Each structure stands twice: as structure tokens, then as C-alpha cells.
């Protein structure tokens, strides 16, 4: 049931930051899996480029180790064939040395070979890399660049980054990654909404009471302390991943599944977001649960900043001012060290306008749950008659479809987000990448929220590691006579 594998065109992919964590954990394993599926044509080359002084052989050894760690069982003959594609050059983004060798290896851009530069380095190196690529005439108008998150720290820095890249590359050549968009189930949101007649007529404020989007993680900030403490949950997760989910849930149907048609509709959602009221925002920071032993660190201990006011959790209520959604609140929350790892969207439909069954039947409303991870699937809660002779009593039952059950092993055979995204870059399909104006609009909505709590001197509320987040997030819902749906594993 998984789509046929269609080989991509021959390519040269230069991975700047080819020795880094992201390259080892995600980019190289993704390329290897596509290679094993025969999707990479003969002659496709992967050129690792970084500051370390490595030979081709020692880089190949590093790649082999990374694949063995991150790809499970690796067949030796597949590995050997993959490593034949892998080269290494020592290239420093800020130093001309090394660029001559890269120029020699790549030659002039050619029409019959796709050329991709993957910027898997810190954002401060994006501009120097773009400049060196142009100075050495390594790109033409068919060349593509891939840039990693975070795309800016606020609107001003995102704008500056866009301008820098735009001075060397056309927007159609720039692929800004939000790996959430490459997830099979996130793309499924569009299939569920626009491939079925069932939901779309009800997908508006007349029938939908409210929508909850939860991205919960069990991990803390270990390993990324310095970056995270300057960023926090709002910048690290809300501005990009949750915003993208919100867009896919709330956007109008695009006329076709084409990059600009889809991204135009997403942009309209972001631009229609109202500013968030301060009392509709809850920030939290994890602490060790009461009775914890020494190994359970608090957020502040983890980042080594005893007074840090960075949030590891944020919940907020958002409103979209347009005809479809006026009056339907969207509750968004994300946090670290929560009780379970789970990404879920819950669409709560309104009660039936009139109950013919009387007050004893209680209140019943439909709920559509879209689980993105783990155990991807959808559940629709419907109301039925409680079985038995005791009169007309009602109960709710789930119509449950676990994709793993329905699709068997095929769901697990579905490509990882990076596999999908990298092959889309080589194919030249930007649908699942963020456009520059989209990123700027997301920052334009986020910046005043952050500026607001900074100027008020708000301090995040403590919450226990392993809990569902701070109690104030529950109050945010209760004030509206609502409750969060549980965070389930
Ligand atoms: P890392 O620190 O592990 O690796 C950085 C890489 O950049 C190394 O290969 C290093 O040699 C290279 N490098 C550093 N300075 C250089 C220079 N002057 N010239 C050329 N190469 C240079 O970082 P990472 O975790 O791999 O992250 C890379 C990028 O991806 C960052 O922008 C990060 O925010 C982003 N990102 C990482 C992850 C992740 O899980 N690691 C997730 C999302 C986004």
C-alpha cells in the first residue's frame, strides 16, 4: 500500500555540517534508506563538508558508524554501495580555503544533474555559505539550498535571513525545513480533510466548538541546553511545528495540491490569527517531582541557569478571525518532560442543538481525534443507544482506526520525514517547505506574545516532571468550561 518507489534524478548533494549531529542522526540515515529502496540513481553523490580535517576514508567510517547506530540492521553490501557515493571535503564557511577543492569536485552546474546545498550548520553560517557558493560560481538558477530550523529568532532576524538568501537565490530555490511537515501523518491531515466529503461541511465554527492541539514530549532539554535556554517552547515548538499543524487544520481547501496554492492558504490562516491576550497564555518550567531523587534534574539545573525564566511549556488560546473560524477557539500546548510523548489534534464538535431524549440522556458531542504520534490514527467518538432494555439511555463509543492495524506493516514502511523531504528537494517540490513570507508571518504573530511576557516580567509556573503541565493551563480551560483531553501515550 506504500507508494511505488520512483527514482529521483541524478544529483550532487553537498551537506555542510556533514559531521554534525543532525547529519549523522537524520540526513545520512534518510539518504541511506532511500538508497536501500533503490530510489537514488547510479552516480548520485553525497559530499560531506565540514571543518574537521578528515580523509574520505575516515569520513566514510564515520558515516558507516552513524548508519549502524541509527538504521538498525545494515546489510554490508548495501552499506558498501552507499559509501561509494560518499565523499568528504574540508570546507570552512568563513574561510576561502577548501572552496577551491569543492569547486573542482563539483565543476560548473549542469542541466542533467540536480545540485543541492544542505545548510546543516548554525544559522550564523547561512549568509557566509550563500556568499561563498556564489563567489565560486557553484550555483545556477536550478541549484537548491536547504536551510534548517531555527529560521530566525524573531521577525527581524528571520527577515534579515530571508533578505540574505534572496540576494543570492530565488525563493523557488530555497527549501526551509520544518520536519513536522514531512511526517506521514501530518500530510494525512490534508488527505483526511480534503479527500473525504464527510468532514469538510462540518469544519467550521457553526459545528466545531473548539480545537485542541497538543505536542507533548517526555524528554527534557538535555543536549541542547545553551540553544534552548535562549529559545524556549514558544520559539522552539509553537512558532513552527504547532503553527504548521494549526494551518493544516484551519486552512481553506487549496485549489490544487501545488506548493504555492497550499502555502497561500496556510499564510492566510497565520495572517488571520488575532493577537493573544496575556491571560490566554500559560508558561511553565519543569521541576523535579516531589520526592524525586538526585537524578531528576529541574529545568534550571539542566541548563545550568538558576534564575532562568525560559519556558519549557507553553499553552495558549488562539482565535482565527475569518468567516470559517470566528468564535471557535484553538487551544495549543506543548511542553517537555510531560507525562507522555504524544502529538494529537482533537476537534470537539458542538452538542446537538436539541436533545429529543431529555435531560437524563446527558450531554453528548462528537469528538474527532487525530493522533500524529505515537500509534497514528483517527478516532471518532459517536453517540449510540446504551444496549439493553432499560429505556433510551445514550452512551459514547469510539469509531477507532489505528493506521498500523489498518495498513499493517506498510505504515512502518512509510518513509521518515527527512527521507520524504530530501527526495522532495531533489524533485523540486516545495509543498512541504515553509515559504519566506509564511515564516515571517509566524514570527509577526509570535513576537508580541514574547515581548508581552518579557515586559511584564512574567515568570513561568513550575510543573512536575512527568505531569501534564502547570495547573494554570487547566484553569485556562476551566474558565471556558472546558477541559484538556488527557495526554495519552
Ligand atoms: P552540530 O554542532 O552537531 O554540527 C555542526 C556542524 O557544522 C559540524 O559538522 C561542524 O563541523 C560544522 N561547522 C561548524 N562551523 C563551521 C564552519 N565555519 N564551516 C563549515 N562547517 C562548520 O549541529 P547540529 O545539531 O548537526 O545542527 C545543525 C543545524 O541543524 C543547526 O542549525 C541546528 O539548529 C539544526 N537542527 C538540528 C537538529 C538536531 O536534532 N541536531 C534538529 C533541528 C535543527
Amino acid at each position: 500500500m506504500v507508494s511505488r518507489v520512483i527514482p529521483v534524478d541524478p544529483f550532487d548533494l553537498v551537506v555542510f555540517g556533514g559531521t554534525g549531529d543532525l547529519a549523522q542522526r537524520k540526513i545520512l540515515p534518510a539518504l541511506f534508506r532511500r538508497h536501500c529502496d533503490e530510489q537514488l540513481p547510479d552516480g548520485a553523490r553525497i559530499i560531506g563538508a565540514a571543518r574537521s580535517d578528515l580523509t574520505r576514508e575516515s569520513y566514510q567510517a564515520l558515516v558507516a558508524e552513524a548508519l549502524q547506530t541509527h538504521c538498525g540492521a545494515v546489510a554490508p553490501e548495501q552499506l558498501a554501495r552507499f559509501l561509494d557515493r560518499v565523499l568528504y571535503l574540508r570546507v570552512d564557511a568563513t574561510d576561502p580555503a577548501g572552496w577551491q577543492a569543492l569547486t573542482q569536485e563539483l565543476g560548473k552546474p549542469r542541466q542533467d544533474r540536480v545540485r543541492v546545498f544542505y545548510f546543516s550548520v548554525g544559522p550564523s553560517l547561512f549568509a557566509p555559505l550563500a556568499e561563498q557558493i556564489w563567489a565560486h560560481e557553484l550555483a545556477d538558477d536550478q541549484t537548491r539550498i536547504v536551510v534548517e530550523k531555527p529560521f530566525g529568532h524573531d521577525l527581524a532576524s528571520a527577515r534579515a535571513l530571508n533578505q540574505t538568501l534572496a540576494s543570492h537565490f530565488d525563493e523557488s530555490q530555497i527549501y526551509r525545513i520544518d520536519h513536522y511537515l514531512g511526517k506521514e501523518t501530518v500530510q494525512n491531515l490534508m488527505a483526511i480533510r480534503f479527500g473525504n466529503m464527510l468532514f469538510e461541511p462540518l469544519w467550521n465554527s457553526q459545528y466545531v466548538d473548539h480545537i485542541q492541539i497538543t505536542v507533548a514530549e517526555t524528554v527534557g532539554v538535555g543536549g541542547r541546553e545553551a540553544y534552548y535556554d535562549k529559545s524556549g517552547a514558544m520559539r522552539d515548538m509553537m512558532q513552527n511545528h504547532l503553527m504548521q499543524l494549526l494551518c493544516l487544520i484551519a486552512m481553506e481547501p487549496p485549489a490544487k495540491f501545488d506548493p504555492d496554492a497550499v502555502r497561500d492558504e496556510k499564510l492566510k490562516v497565520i495572517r488571520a490569527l488575532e493577537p493573544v491576550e496575556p491571560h490566554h497564555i500559560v508558561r511553565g518550567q519543569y521541576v523535579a517531582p516531589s520526592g524525586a531523587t538526585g537524578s531528576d534534574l529541574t529545568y534550571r539545573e539542566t541548563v545550568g541557569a538558576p534564575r532562568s525564566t525560559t519556558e519549557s511549556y507553553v499553552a495558549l488560546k488562539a482565535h482565527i478571525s475569518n468567516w470559517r473560524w470566528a468564535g471557535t477557539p484553538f487551544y495549543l500546548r506543548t511542553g517537555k518532560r510531560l507525562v507522555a510523548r504524544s502529538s494529537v489534534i482533537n476537534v470537539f464538535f458542538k452538542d446537538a442543538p436539541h436533545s429529543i431524549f431529555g435531560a437524563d440522556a446527558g450531554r453528548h458531542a462528537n469528538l474527532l481525534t487525530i493522533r500524529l504520534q505515537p500509534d497514528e490514527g483517527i478516532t471518532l467518538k459517536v453517540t449510540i443507544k446504551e444496549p439493553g432494555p432499560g429505556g433510551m439511555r445514550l452512551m459514547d463509543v469510539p469509531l477507532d482506526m489505528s493506521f498500523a492495524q489498518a495498513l499493517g506493516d506498510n505504515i512502518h514502511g512509510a518513509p521518515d520525514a527527512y527521507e520524504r523531504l530530501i527526495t522532495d528537494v531533489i524533485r523540486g517540490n516545495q509543498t512541504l517547505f515553509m515559504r519566506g513570507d509564511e515564516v515571517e508571518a509566524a514570527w509577526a504573530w509570535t513576537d508580541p506574545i514574547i515581548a508581552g511576557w518579557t515586559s511584564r516580567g512574567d515568570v513561568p509556573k513550575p510543573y512536575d516532571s512527568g505531569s501534564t503541565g502547570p495547573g494554570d493551563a487547566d484553569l485556562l480551560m476551566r474558565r471556558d468550561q472546558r477541559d484538556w483531553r488527557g495526554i495519552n501515550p
Side-chain angles (χ1 to χ4, degrees):
M1 242 179 279
V2 172
S3 327
R4 280 177 309 128
V5 171
I6 302 170
V8 295
D9 289 336
F11 64 86
D12 281 336
L13 170 63
V14 180
V15 185
F16 292 111
T19 58
D21 175 66
L22 185 71
Q24 293 195 44
R25 278 194 312 110
K26 292 291 181 186
I27 303 171
L28 293 162
L31 286 160
F32 178 65
R33 289 197 202 95
R34 292 298 88 217
H35 160 90
C36 293
D37 257 0
E38 306 292 334
Q39 202 162 16
L40 308 191
D42 288 343
R45 300 191 305 168
I46 298 151
I47 301 159
R51 270 191 314 190
S52 313
D53 192 8
L54 300 177
T55 60
R56 179 179 184 195
E57 289 69 31
S58 51
Y59 185 63
Q60 286 172 326
L62 179 149
V63 174
E65 201 182 319
L67 299 181
Q68 270 143 6
T69 310
H70 300 292
C71 293
V74 171
E77 64 284 4
Q78 288 282 27
L79 178 61
R81 278 184 50 224
F82 181 74
L83 292 178
D84 280 346
R85 303 178 182 281
V86 175
L87 290 81
Y88 180 79
L89 291 169
R90 183 183 179 187
V91 182
D92 190 323
T94 55
D95 182 342
W99 286 90
Q100 206 49 47
L102 183 60
T103 309
Q104 248 167 22
E105 191 61 60
L106 288 175
K108 294 264 174 254
R110 286 168 32 187
Q111 288 297 316
D112 61 347
R113 183 168 272 272
V114 176
R115 182 170 292 182
V116 179
F117 294 104
Y118 197 129
F119 293 5
S120 181
V121 293
S124 63
L125 295 179
F126 292 174
L129 283 177
E131 270 146 31
Q132 294 281 12
I133 288 169
W134 273 96
H136 290 87
E137 298 180 4
L138 291 174
D140 66 5
D141 56 7
Q142 296 304 313
T143 303
R144 289 148 210 174
I145 60 164
V146 183
V147 290
E148 266 298 334
K149 118 178 201 198
F151 198 87
H153 185 73
D154 53 17
L155 177 58
S157 55
R159 219 174 241 164
L161 212 44
N162 273 336
Q163 276 164 4
T164 305
L165 296 180
S167 60
H168 297 297
F169 297 96
D170 185 71
E171 181 61 36
S172 62
Q173 298 177 270
I174 305 170
Y175 291 73
R176 294 175 195 78
I177 284 208
D178 180 336
H179 74 273
Y180 249 65
L181 285 177
K183 285 180 189 280
E184 192 73 8
T185 40
V186 173
Q187 292 166 63
N188 218 348
L189 285 178
M190 282 186 274
I192 290 169
R193 281 196 59 195
F194 305 131
N196 294 289
M197 194 54 203
L198 198 60
F199 301 118
E200 206 47 30
L202 306 179
W203 212 256
N204 56 55
S205 59
Q206 197 181 341
Y207 297 101
V208 176
D209 178 71
H210 74 282
I211 293 179
Q212 297 182 12
I213 303 180
T214 299
V215 177
E217 298 180 286
T218 49
V219 294
V221 294
R224 296 199 300 153
E225 295 86 350
Y227 154 76
Y228 195 91
D229 201 43
K230 289 200 198 81
S231 169
M234 190 72 195
R235 290 188 170 97
D236 188 51
M237 297 293 287
M238 187 69 78
Q239 183 270 348
N240 39 66
H241 302 325
L242 278 89
M243 180 73 83
Q244 290 295 324
L245 298 181
L246 175 72
C247 287
L248 295 176
I249 280 289
M251 72 185 189
E252 296 299 316
K256 50 189 172 171
F257 191 58
D258 134 316
D260 278 328
V262 171
R263 296 183 303 174
D264 284 347
E265 295 306 335
K266 283 163 55 193
L267 178 63
K268 285 184 209 162
V269 173
I270 304 174
R271 289 195 172 149
L273 277 167
E274 285 178 17
V276 181
E277 303 279 340
H279 61 284
H280 290 162
I281 305 167
V282 176
R283 296 165 74 222
Q285 198 183 63
Y286 64 82
V287 295
S290 47
T293 53
S295 61
D296 226 332
L297 295 182
T298 67
Y299 172 85
R300 290 176 175 183
E301 285 164 348
T302 311
V303 298
R307 286 172 64 118
S308 171
T309 57
T310 303
E311 77 286 353
S312 58
Y313 174 102
V314 64
L316 55 82
K317 175 162 111 170
H319 282 285
I320 299 172
S321 289
N322 63 18
W323 271 58
R324 187 187 280 264
W325 293 118
T328 295
F330 288 74
Y331 298 93
L332 279 53
R333 65 177 163 167
T334 179
K336 293 197 172 291
R337 296 291 285 122
L338 295 178
V339 60
R341 172 174 171 262
S342 155
S343 298
V344 184
I345 299 168
N346 283 298
V347 181
F348 289 78
F349 289 90
K350 290 187 174 170
D351 291 347
H354 165 70
S355 171
I356 63 169
F357 305 110
D360 288 352
R363 292 181 62 198
H364 298 271
N366 301 119
L367 167 64
L368 177 70
T369 300
I370 305 167
R371 297 186 302 275
L372 305 173
Q373 69 182 25
D375 185 24
E376 305 94 320
I378 56 177
T379 306
L380 180 63
K381 199 181 77 170
V382 290
T383 303
I384 61 164
K385 176 188 172 299
E386 200 177 290
M392 196 63 180
R393 284 196 297 269
L394 302 183
M395 65 183 288
D396 294 327
V397 290
L399 284 178
D400 199 345
M401 185 175 130
S402 154
F403 296 157
Q405 266 172 17
L407 305 177
D409 280 347
N410 285 325
I411 184 79
H412 301 299
D416 164 79
Y418 275 87
E419 294 174 55
R420 153 102 40 188
L421 294 173
I422 293 171
T423 45
D424 277 0
V425 174
I426 296 163
R427 290 208 179 92
N429 184 346
Q430 289 185 305
T431 310
L432 301 177
F433 296 84
M434 292 180 298
R435 214 167 50 191
D437 51 4
E438 221 183 307
V439 180
E440 288 186 19
W443 280 120
W445 178 75
T446 309
D447 274 4
I449 298 174
I450 296 174
W453 73 51
T454 307
S455 69
R456 291 190 301 274
D458 286 355
V459 175
K461 305 282 183 215
Y463 66 94
D464 283 354
S465 288
S467 71
T468 55
D472 282 22
D474 298 330
L475 288 180
L476 173 75
M477 293 299 254
R478 282 205 203 110
R479 280 203 300 264
D480 295 346
Q481 283 88 49
R482 297 185 174 109
D483 285 307
W484 290 108
R485 199 79 182 140
I487 299 177
N488 299 317

